Amino acid sequence: MQQQACVWREPWNVAFLAEPDEVAVLRRIVRLHLEGCGLRGITDAAELCVSELVSNIITHVGAGTPATLAISMNGVRLRIEVHDPDTRALPTLLDANADSESGRGMALVDAVADRWGVQLTPAHKITWCELEMNLAHPAGPGILRAEALLSLYGAACLPLESSKLGRTTVEELAIAAITDFLHWTNAHGCDADEVLDRAQMRHDAESDGRSAGRA
């Protein structure tokens, strides 16, 4: 199932103390935030990941540890991070059986998330996971034409769906295409700066028109 969702680029952060009572509060906050952004399809998975990542801090770092929950978009994935100050207690994926009392948390995250990992900084540890959002992008004629053109700049094996391309790759392909068009306009005696300005004005006008249509 594809979803239309709002887009936020800056991480959404919540500071908390790693206490058992806080787990339910964080789950509820995450659900409300994701539902408000039209991401109902992954709220259950996101809640589970938040529960297990926070519980991992409580169990292995200590109850009452000051921590931060950060949620952001990484391309077409929802990225969930928990930050804590202990760089020694690293989460481990164990082959835990159904009777195990420990080791199942990261196994659940591994089963639900598309990927997860740990990042160490001098001051703290970041345990993160990412969930595929399966977002549908608006397939207007301009976007379809752009995708067709951008496919010429990538290897033949690269799929056209932007959801399968890294954000950096997409940006580099777009920059290459725009640069070539500027060379083409110069070669035909046009002012490249004027072309860019007019293109930006048209883009802004079309974006405003789509926003007004959704209101």
Side-chain angles (χ1 to χ4, degrees):
M1 179 183 69
Q2 288 186 323
Q3 309 170 73
Q4 293 285 359
C6 70
V7 176
W8 77 93
R9 291 300 178 192
E10 295 300 321
W12 177 69
N13 299 332
V14 178
F16 65 95
L17 295 179
E19 299 281 3
D21 291 345
E22 286 291 289
V23 176
V25 175
L26 291 171
R27 285 174 61 103
R28 185 163 59 252
I29 291 174
V30 168
R31 173 170 288 276
L32 290 173
H33 184 71
L34 296 184
E35 287 182 349
C37 287
L39 295 173
R40 292 177 177 84
I42 60 170
T43 51
D44 289 341
E47 282 191 75
L48 174 62
C49 290
V50 168
S51 291
E52 299 306 330
L53 293 178
V54 174
S55 296
N56 195 69
I57 296 176
I58 297 171
T59 301
H60 299 288
V61 181
T65 300
T68 301
L69 170 68
I71 297 180
S72 61
M73 288 182 67
N74 182 18
V76 295
R77 290 186 174 91
L78 181 77
R79 185 178 178 92
I80 300 171
E81 300 177 355
V82 291
H83 301 216
D84 72 78
D86 194 331
T87 58
R88 298 168 300 172
L90 302 181
T92 304
L93 180 62
L94 302 178
D95 184 16
N97 58 47
D99 297 325
S100 297
E101 293 298 327
S102 63
R104 294 193 300 175
M106 296 313 298
L108 288 173
V109 172
D110 185 67
V112 171
D114 290 282
R115 55 190 183 185
W116 69 274
V118 181
Q119 178 182 349
L120 297 178
T121 74
H124 64 279
K125 171 175 85 261
I126 302 171
T127 308
W128 60 269
C129 66
E130 293 182 346
L131 302 170
E132 180 70 52
M133 291 187 292
N134 296 319
L135 294 178
H137 59 69
I143 290 177
L144 294 177
R145 288 194 299 268
E147 288 190 344
L149 288 170
L150 288 175
S151 68
L152 301 175
Y153 288 80
C157 62
L158 285 178
L160 291 181
E161 293 88 344
S162 60
S163 62
K164 296 182 181 179
L165 291 174
R167 180 179 173 185
T168 300
T169 302
V170 172
E171 290 176 350
E172 289 302 319
L173 293 179
I175 291 169
I178 293 169
T179 301
D180 285 350
F181 274 115
L182 293 179
H183 287 311
W184 183 84
T185 55
N186 283 331
H188 286 76
C190 302
D191 186 327
D193 289 335
E194 181 182 352
V195 170
L196 278 176
D197 289 341
R198 291 171 60 188
Q200 184 67 55
M201 292 173 60
R202 180 178 298 182
H203 170 268
D204 293 344
E206 292 178 355
S207 296
D208 291 343
R210 285 194 293 270
S211 296
R214 289 195 295 267

